[in-house]
């Protein structure tokens, strides 16, 4: 009996099965990478939006009239809590790569420094506020740049 045709058929079947498995695995990896990118994009968007909203909210509180220092402090802190920034920050820590988490954390701390200043009574537009605003803007720009880089999007060139 001639075994060559049978061996050739078995070898061809094994090669076909292996090629199909490799192609399926590669397709699965691409889909997983695409899905992970979409998750990061969503997390980044929510985090940046929450940071922006918190900044606007604490500025609005700082512009308001408060009867006491403790009332102002409570209002500024509640304004930050109400934006969901803490949840967004935790999500960033869970899915972001180290360089994005570091940049996001710097931006978050810039917001906290501004929050604490407003809570102490620093006035919007004052000389004491100016360096805090500059620090926050720089941190936000670095964070956005790092996020865009991670998402494979080129730099804006406008910040």
């Amino acid at each position: 009996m001639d075994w060559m045709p049978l061996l050739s058929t078995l070898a061809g079947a094994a090669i076909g099965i292996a090629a199909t498995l490799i192609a399926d695995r590669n397709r699965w990896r691409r889909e997983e990478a695409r899905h992970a990118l979409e998750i990061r994009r969503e997390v980044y968007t929510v985090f940046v939006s929450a940071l922006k909203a918190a900044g606007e909210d604490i500025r609005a509180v700082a512009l308001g009239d408060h009867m006491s220092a403790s009332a102002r402090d409570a209002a500024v802190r509640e304004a930050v809590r109400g934006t969901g920034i803490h949840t967004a920050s935790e999500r960033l820590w869970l899915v972001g790569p180290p360089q994005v988490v570091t940049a996001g954390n710097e931006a978050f701390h810039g917001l906290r420094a501004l929050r604490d200043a407003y809570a102490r009574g620093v006035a919007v537009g004052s000389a004491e506020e100016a360096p805090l605003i500059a620090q926050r803007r720089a941190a936000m720009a670095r964070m956005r740049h790092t996020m865009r880089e991670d998402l494979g999007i080129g730099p804006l060139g406008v910040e």
Side-chain angles (χ1 to χ4, degrees):
M1 178 169 176
D2 189 13
W3 291 96
M4 280 312 280
L6 180 60
L7 290 177
S8 295
T9 302
L10 289 174
I15 290 170
I17 290 169
T20 301
L21 289 173
I22 290 170
D24 285 348
R25 176 110 172 121
N26 288 340
R27 185 173 32 256
W28 176 80
R29 282 184 179 164
R30 280 191 310 272
E31 289 172 7
E32 282 297 307
R34 193 174 310 124
H35 182 66
L37 183 69
E38 286 301 316
I39 288 172
R40 287 196 318 276
R41 181 177 291 128
E42 176 63 23
V43 167
Y44 296 173
T45 301
V46 169
F47 182 71
V48 171
S49 298
L51 272 175
K52 192 77 167 170
E56 292 297 320
D57 289 356
I58 63 173
R59 180 175 164 73
V61 170
L63 287 169
D65 186 27
H66 299 284
M67 299 297 283
S68 68
S70 63
R72 181 182 55 247
D73 180 71
V76 169
R77 292 180 188 286
E78 184 54 39
V80 171
R81 275 192 295 275
T83 63
I85 187 64
H86 295 99
T87 301
S89 176
E90 288 302 318
R91 289 186 72 203
L92 180 68
W93 278 77
L94 289 174
V95 302
Q99 66 275 18
V100 172
V101 171
T102 299
N105 202 37
E106 285 176 24
F108 181 74
H109 285 285
L111 173 74
R112 284 179 48 185
L114 196 57
R115 177 205 66 191
D116 293 346
Y118 289 152
R120 285 192 318 270
V122 170
V124 172
S126 69
E128 193 176 350
E129 180 205 40
L132 296 171
I133 293 291
Q135 174 191 4
R136 180 170 163 10
R137 284 183 180 151
M140 291 288 288
R142 280 190 302 274
M143 177 190 65
R144 285 187 197 105
H145 175 79
T146 305
M147 287 176 172
R148 290 177 64 84
E149 193 175 81
D150 179 55
L151 295 173
I153 303 169
L156 281 174
V158 295
E159 291 185 338

